[in-house]
PDB file of all heavy atoms in Angstrom:
ATOM      1  N   ILE A 302     114.512 120.327  96.213  1.00 84.00           N
ATOM      2  CA  ILE A 302     115.928 120.294  95.871  1.00 84.00           C
ATOM      3  C   ILE A 302     116.640 119.181  96.630  1.00 84.00           C
ATOM      4  O   ILE A 302     117.689 118.686  96.206  1.00 84.00           O
ATOM      5  CB  ILE A 302     116.583 121.663  96.158  1.00 84.00           C
ATOM      6  CG1 ILE A 302     117.940 121.761  95.445  1.00 84.00           C
ATOM      7  CG2 ILE A 302     116.749 121.895  97.655  1.00 84.00           C
ATOM      8  CD1 ILE A 302     118.550 123.142  95.477  1.00 84.00           C
ATOM      9  N   SER A 303     116.046 118.761  97.764  1.00 86.00           N
ATOM     10  CA  SER A 303     116.604 117.653  98.543  1.00 86.00           C
ATOM     11  C   SER A 303     115.757 116.388  98.445  1.00 86.00           C
ATOM     12  O   SER A 303     116.009 115.416  99.150  1.00 86.00           O
ATOM     13  CB  SER A 303     116.740 118.072 100.019  1.00 86.00           C
ATOM     14  OG  SER A 303     117.665 119.127 100.159  1.00 86.00           O
ATOM     15  N   GLY A 304     114.730 116.408  97.608  1.00 89.00           N
ATOM     16  CA  GLY A 304     113.868 115.235  97.467  1.00 89.00           C
ATOM     17  C   GLY A 304     112.836 115.113  98.564  1.00 89.00           C
ATOM     18  O   GLY A 304     112.205 114.066  98.722  1.00 89.00           O
ATOM     19  N   LEU A 305     112.602 116.190  99.331  1.00 92.00           N
ATOM     20  CA  LEU A 305     111.667 116.118 100.450  1.00 92.00           C
ATOM     21  C   LEU A 305     110.220 116.330 100.021  1.00 92.00           C
ATOM     22  O   LEU A 305     109.317 116.339 100.858  1.00 92.00           O
ATOM     23  CB  LEU A 305     112.068 117.133 101.528  1.00 92.00           C
ATOM     24  CG  LEU A 305     113.436 116.855 102.161  1.00 92.00           C
ATOM     25  CD1 LEU A 305     113.776 117.928 103.182  1.00 92.00           C
ATOM     26  CD2 LEU A 305     113.467 115.477 102.813  1.00 92.00           C
ATOM     27  N   ASP A 306     109.993 116.495  98.729  1.00 94.00           N
ATOM     28  CA  ASP A 306     108.622 116.514  98.219  1.00 94.00           C
ATOM     29  C   ASP A 306     108.040 115.105  98.162  1.00 94.00           C
ATOM     30  O   ASP A 306     106.828 114.927  98.133  1.00 94.00           O
ATOM     31  CB  ASP A 306     108.578 117.149  96.832  1.00 94.00           C
ATOM     32  CG  ASP A 306     109.580 116.537  95.859  1.00 94.00           C
ATOM     33  OD1 ASP A 306     110.530 115.872  96.317  1.00 94.00           O
ATOM     34  OD2 ASP A 306     109.426 116.730  94.643  1.00 94.00           O
ATOM     35  N   ARG A 307     108.899 114.102  98.162  1.00 94.00           N
ATOM     36  CA  ARG A 307     108.456 112.721  98.038  1.00 94.00           C
ATOM     37  C   ARG A 307     107.544 112.319  99.196  1.00 94.00           C
ATOM     38  O   ARG A 307     107.807 112.628 100.345  1.00 94.00           O
ATOM     39  CB  ARG A 307     109.670 111.789  97.989  1.00 94.00           C
ATOM     40  CG  ARG A 307     110.420 111.858  96.681  1.00 94.00           C
ATOM     41  CD  ARG A 307     111.816 111.273  96.706  1.00 94.00           C
ATOM     42  NE  ARG A 307     112.005 110.124  97.558  1.00 94.00           N
ATOM     43  CZ  ARG A 307     113.189 109.551  97.758  1.00 94.00           C
ATOM     44  NH1 ARG A 307     114.270 110.034  97.172  1.00 94.00           N
ATOM     45  NH2 ARG A 307     113.287 108.507  98.551  1.00 94.00           N
ATOM     46  N   GLY A 308     106.449 111.640  98.851  1.00 95.00           N
ATOM     47  CA  GLY A 308     105.556 111.100  99.865  1.00 95.00           C
ATOM     48  C   GLY A 308     104.495 112.046 100.374  1.00 95.00           C
ATOM     49  O   GLY A 308     103.706 111.673 101.245  1.00 95.00           O
ATOM     50  N   ASN A 309     104.422 113.274  99.834  1.00 97.00           N
ATOM     51  CA  ASN A 309     103.446 114.245 100.322  1.00 97.00           C
ATOM     52  C   ASN A 309     102.224 114.325  99.417  1.00 97.00           C
ATOM     53  O   ASN A 309     102.348 114.389  98.184  1.00 97.00           O
ATOM     54  CB  ASN A 309     104.082 115.634 100.418  1.00 97.00           C
ATOM     55  CG  ASN A 309     105.017 115.756 101.601  1.00 97.00           C
ATOM     56  OD1 ASN A 309     104.584 115.759 102.739  1.00 97.00           O
ATOM     57  ND2 ASN A 309     106.316 115.837 101.324  1.00 97.00           N
ATOM     58  N   ASP A 310     101.035 114.327 100.034  1.00 97.00           N
ATOM     59  CA  ASP A 310      99.795 114.528  99.275  1.00 97.00           C
ATOM     60  C   ASP A 310      99.678 115.970  98.802  1.00 97.00           C
ATOM     61  O   ASP A 310      99.206 116.224  97.690  1.00 97.00           O
ATOM     62  CB  ASP A 310      98.577 114.168 100.134  1.00 97.00           C
ATOM     63  CG  ASP A 310      98.490 112.688 100.419  1.00 97.00           C
ATOM     64  OD1 ASP A 310      98.728 111.890  99.492  1.00 97.00           O
ATOM     65  OD2 ASP A 310      98.187 112.314 101.565  1.00 97.00           O
ATOM     66  N   VAL A 311     100.029 116.912  99.651  1.00 96.00           N
ATOM     67  CA  VAL A 311     100.086 118.321  99.256  1.00 96.00           C
ATOM     68  C   VAL A 311     101.453 118.855  99.646  1.00 96.00           C
ATOM     69  O   VAL A 311     102.039 118.436 100.647  1.00 96.00           O
ATOM     70  CB  VAL A 311      98.951 119.165  99.892  1.00 96.00           C
ATOM     71  CG1 VAL A 311      97.593 118.662  99.462  1.00 96.00           C
ATOM     72  CG2 VAL A 311      99.056 119.180 101.401  1.00 96.00           C
ATOM     73  N   PHE A 312     101.954 119.799  98.851  1.00 96.00           N
ATOM     74  CA  PHE A 312     103.334 120.244  99.029  1.00 96.00           C
ATOM     75  C   PHE A 312     103.446 121.706  98.640  1.00 96.00           C
ATOM     76  O   PHE A 312     102.963 122.120  97.597  1.00 96.00           O
ATOM     77  CB  PHE A 312     104.254 119.383  98.165  1.00 96.00           C
ATOM     78  CG  PHE A 312     105.708 119.776  98.214  1.00 96.00           C
ATOM     79  CD1 PHE A 312     106.471 119.488  99.335  1.00 96.00           C
ATOM     80  CD2 PHE A 312     106.291 120.418  97.144  1.00 96.00           C
ATOM     81  CE1 PHE A 312     107.811 119.846  99.372  1.00 96.00           C
ATOM     82  CE2 PHE A 312     107.624 120.762  97.167  1.00 96.00           C
ATOM     83  CZ  PHE A 312     108.391 120.484  98.286  1.00 96.00           C
ATOM     84  N   ARG A 313     104.086 122.486  99.506  1.00 94.00           N
ATOM     85  CA  ARG A 313     104.335 123.890  99.215  1.00 94.00           C
ATOM     86  C   ARG A 313     105.744 124.240  99.692  1.00 94.00           C
ATOM     87  O   ARG A 313     106.098 124.019 100.843  1.00 94.00           O
ATOM     88  CB  ARG A 313     103.311 124.772  99.935  1.00 94.00           C
ATOM     89  CG  ARG A 313     103.530 126.291  99.706  1.00 94.00           C
ATOM     90  CD  ARG A 313     104.173 126.939 100.913  1.00 94.00           C
ATOM     91  NE  ARG A 313     104.646 128.288 100.666  1.00 94.00           N
ATOM     92  CZ  ARG A 313     103.921 129.386 100.719  1.00 94.00           C
ATOM     93  NH1 ARG A 313     102.673 129.306 101.064  1.00 94.00           N
ATOM     94  NH2 ARG A 313     104.458 130.562 100.472  1.00 94.00           N
ATOM     95  N   GLU A 314     106.569 124.782  98.785  1.00 92.00           N
ATOM     96  CA  GLU A 314     107.920 125.185  99.140  1.00 92.00           C
ATOM     97  C   GLU A 314     108.236 126.593  98.641  1.00 92.00           C
ATOM     98  O   GLU A 314     109.390 126.995  98.599  1.00 92.00           O
ATOM     99  CB  GLU A 314     108.944 124.205  98.559  1.00 92.00           C
ATOM    100  CG  GLU A 314     108.965 124.164  97.042  1.00 92.00           C
ATOM    101  CD  GLU A 314     110.099 123.336  96.451  1.00 92.00           C
ATOM    102  OE1 GLU A 314     111.012 122.954  97.209  1.00 92.00           O
ATOM    103  OE2 GLU A 314     110.063 123.080  95.227  1.00 92.00           O
ATOM    104  N   ALA A 315     107.216 127.338  98.252  1.00 89.00           N
ATOM    105  CA  ALA A 315     107.444 128.679  97.713  1.00 89.00           C
ATOM    106  C   ALA A 315     107.793 129.653  98.823  1.00 89.00           C
ATOM    107  O   ALA A 315     107.400 129.488  99.977  1.00 89.00           O
ATOM    108  CB  ALA A 315     106.199 129.165  96.972  1.00 89.00           C
ATOM    109  N   GLY A 316     108.530 130.683  98.442  1.00 87.00           N
ATOM    110  CA  GLY A 316     108.818 131.758  99.375  1.00 87.00           C
ATOM    111  C   GLY A 316     107.582 132.596  99.630  1.00 87.00           C
ATOM    112  O   GLY A 316     106.465 132.246  99.245  1.00 87.00           O
ATOM    113  N   THR A 317     107.773 133.719 100.273  1.00 89.00           N
ATOM    114  CA  THR A 317     106.660 134.589 100.623  1.00 89.00           C
ATOM    115  C   THR A 317     107.120 136.032 100.539  1.00 89.00           C
ATOM    116  O   THR A 317     108.326 136.304 100.484  1.00 89.00           O
ATOM    117  CB  THR A 317     106.155 134.269 102.043  1.00 89.00           C
ATOM    118  OG1 THR A 317     105.045 135.096 102.363  1.00 89.00           O
ATOM    119  CG2 THR A 317     107.265 134.479 103.065  1.00 89.00           C
ATOM    120  N   GLU A 318     106.180 136.967 100.489  1.00 88.00           N
ATOM    121  CA  GLU A 318     106.544 138.372 100.349  1.00 88.00           C
ATOM    122  C   GLU A 318     107.327 138.872 101.553  1.00 88.00           C
ATOM    123  O   GLU A 318     108.205 139.714 101.434  1.00 88.00           O
ATOM    124  CB  GLU A 318     105.292 139.224 100.132  1.00 88.00           C
ATOM    125  CG  GLU A 318     104.596 138.948  98.794  1.00 88.00           C
ATOM    126  CD  GLU A 318     103.375 139.812  98.590  1.00 88.00           C
ATOM    127  OE1 GLU A 318     103.121 140.679  99.461  1.00 88.00           O
ATOM    128  OE2 GLU A 318     102.685 139.642  97.579  1.00 88.00           O
ATOM    129  N   ASN A 319     107.005 138.362 102.735  1.00 91.00           N
ATOM    130  CA  ASN A 319     107.718 138.762 103.948  1.00 91.00           C
ATOM    131  C   ASN A 319     107.973 137.514 104.772  1.00 91.00           C
ATOM    132  O   ASN A 319     107.076 136.965 105.391  1.00 91.00           O
ATOM    133  CB  ASN A 319     106.904 139.785 104.760  1.00 91.00           C
ATOM    134  CG  ASN A 319     107.631 140.239 106.015  1.00 91.00           C
ATOM    135  OD1 ASN A 319     108.737 139.802 106.307  1.00 91.00           O
ATOM    136  ND2 ASN A 319     107.003 141.134 106.767  1.00 91.00           N
ATOM    137  N   TYR A 320     109.229 137.033 104.758  1.00 91.00           N
ATOM    138  CA  TYR A 320     109.570 135.820 105.488  1.00 91.00           C
ATOM    139  C   TYR A 320     109.239 135.920 106.968  1.00 91.00           C
ATOM    140  O   TYR A 320     108.991 134.905 107.623  1.00 91.00           O
ATOM    141  CB  TYR A 320     111.074 135.546 105.332  1.00 91.00           C
ATOM    142  CG  TYR A 320     111.417 134.695 104.133  1.00 91.00           C
ATOM    143  CD1 TYR A 320     110.615 134.700 102.999  1.00 91.00           C
ATOM    144  CD2 TYR A 320     112.552 133.896 104.121  1.00 91.00           C
ATOM    145  CE1 TYR A 320     110.929 133.937 101.903  1.00 91.00           C
ATOM    146  CE2 TYR A 320     112.877 133.115 103.021  1.00 91.00           C
ATOM    147  CZ  TYR A 320     112.055 133.137 101.911  1.00 91.00           C
ATOM    148  OH  TYR A 320     112.357 132.358 100.825  1.00 91.00           O
ATOM    149  N   SER A 321     109.233 137.138 107.520  1.00 92.00           N
ATOM    150  CA  SER A 321     109.056 137.308 108.961  1.00 92.00           C
ATOM    151  C   SER A 321     107.645 137.008 109.439  1.00 92.00           C
ATOM    152  O   SER A 321     107.398 136.948 110.647  1.00 92.00           O
ATOM    153  CB  SER A 321     109.452 138.728 109.369  1.00 92.00           C
ATOM    154  OG  SER A 321     110.822 138.961 109.093  1.00 92.00           O
ATOM    155  N   ILE A 322     106.696 136.845 108.507  1.00 92.00           N
ATOM    156  CA  ILE A 322     105.324 136.499 108.903  1.00 92.00           C
ATOM    157  C   ILE A 322     104.847 135.273 108.127  1.00 92.00           C
ATOM    158  O   ILE A 322     103.658 135.094 107.877  1.00 92.00           O
ATOM    159  CB  ILE A 322     104.354 137.685 108.704  1.00 92.00           C
ATOM    160  CG1 ILE A 322     104.391 138.189 107.256  1.00 92.00           C
ATOM    161  CG2 ILE A 322     104.679 138.808 109.663  1.00 92.00           C
ATOM    162  CD1 ILE A 322     103.324 139.243 106.955  1.00 92.00           C
ATOM    163  N   SER A 323     105.791 134.404 107.761  1.00 93.00           N
ATOM    164  CA  SER A 323     105.446 133.241 106.947  1.00 93.00           C
ATOM    165  C   SER A 323     104.487 132.295 107.647  1.00 93.00           C
ATOM    166  O   SER A 323     103.688 131.617 107.008  1.00 93.00           O
ATOM    167  CB  SER A 323     106.719 132.479 106.573  1.00 93.00           C
ATOM    168  OG  SER A 323     107.276 131.831 107.708  1.00 93.00           O
ATOM    169  N   SER A 324     104.561 132.227 108.980  1.00 93.00           N
ATOM    170  CA  SER A 324     103.744 131.252 109.706  1.00 93.00           C
ATOM    171  C   SER A 324     102.260 131.457 109.453  1.00 93.00           C
ATOM    172  O   SER A 324     101.508 130.484 109.333  1.00 93.00           O
ATOM    173  CB  SER A 324     104.044 131.320 111.204  1.00 93.00           C
ATOM    174  OG  SER A 324     103.854 132.625 111.711  1.00 93.00           O
ATOM    175  N   ALA A 325     101.818 132.711 109.368  1.00 91.00           N
ATOM    176  CA  ALA A 325     100.393 132.978 109.134  1.00 91.00           C
ATOM    177  C   ALA A 325      99.941 132.385 107.807  1.00 91.00           C
ATOM    178  O   ALA A 325      98.864 131.782 107.700  1.00 91.00           O
ATOM    179  CB  ALA A 325     100.127 134.483 109.164  1.00 91.00           C
ATOM    180  N   GLU A 326     100.783 132.513 106.779  1.00 92.00           N
ATOM    181  CA  GLU A 326     100.447 131.991 105.460  1.00 92.00           C
ATOM    182  C   GLU A 326     100.383 130.468 105.472  1.00 92.00           C
ATOM    183  O   GLU A 326      99.461 129.857 104.924  1.00 92.00           O
ATOM    184  CB  GLU A 326     101.498 132.484 104.463  1.00 92.00           C
ATOM    185  CG  GLU A 326     101.107 132.345 103.018  1.00 92.00           C
ATOM    186  CD  GLU A 326     102.063 133.090 102.110  1.00 92.00           C
ATOM    187  OE1 GLU A 326     102.147 134.332 102.201  1.00 92.00           O
ATOM    188  OE2 GLU A 326     102.750 132.419 101.305  1.00 92.00           O
ATOM    189  N   LEU A 327     101.362 129.842 106.111  1.00 94.00           N
ATOM    190  CA  LEU A 327     101.401 128.382 106.155  1.00 94.00           C
ATOM    191  C   LEU A 327     100.269 127.809 106.995  1.00 94.00           C
ATOM    192  O   LEU A 327      99.689 126.774 106.653  1.00 94.00           O
ATOM    193  CB  LEU A 327     102.750 127.910 106.690  1.00 94.00           C
ATOM    194  CG  LEU A 327     103.982 128.301 105.867  1.00 94.00           C
ATOM    195  CD1 LEU A 327     105.233 127.648 106.435  1.00 94.00           C
ATOM    196  CD2 LEU A 327     103.814 127.948 104.397  1.00 94.00           C
TER     197      LEU A 327
END
């Protein structure tokens, strides 16, 4: 939404089932 996907070989901006443990998924 801010154009920050530009320049990335791989890109993930999806939410998660529980934001409080997002780090493990990433």
Side-chain angles (χ1 to χ4, degrees):
I302 196 170
S303 296
L305 296 178
D306 52 342
R307 287 164 35 185
N309 285 291
D310 291 317
V311 299
F312 178 74
R313 178 257 168 84
E314 64 172 349
T317 182
E318 293 181 4
N319 181 0
Y320 270 28
S321 298
I322 56 173
S323 70
S324 56
E326 196 169 296
L327 298 186

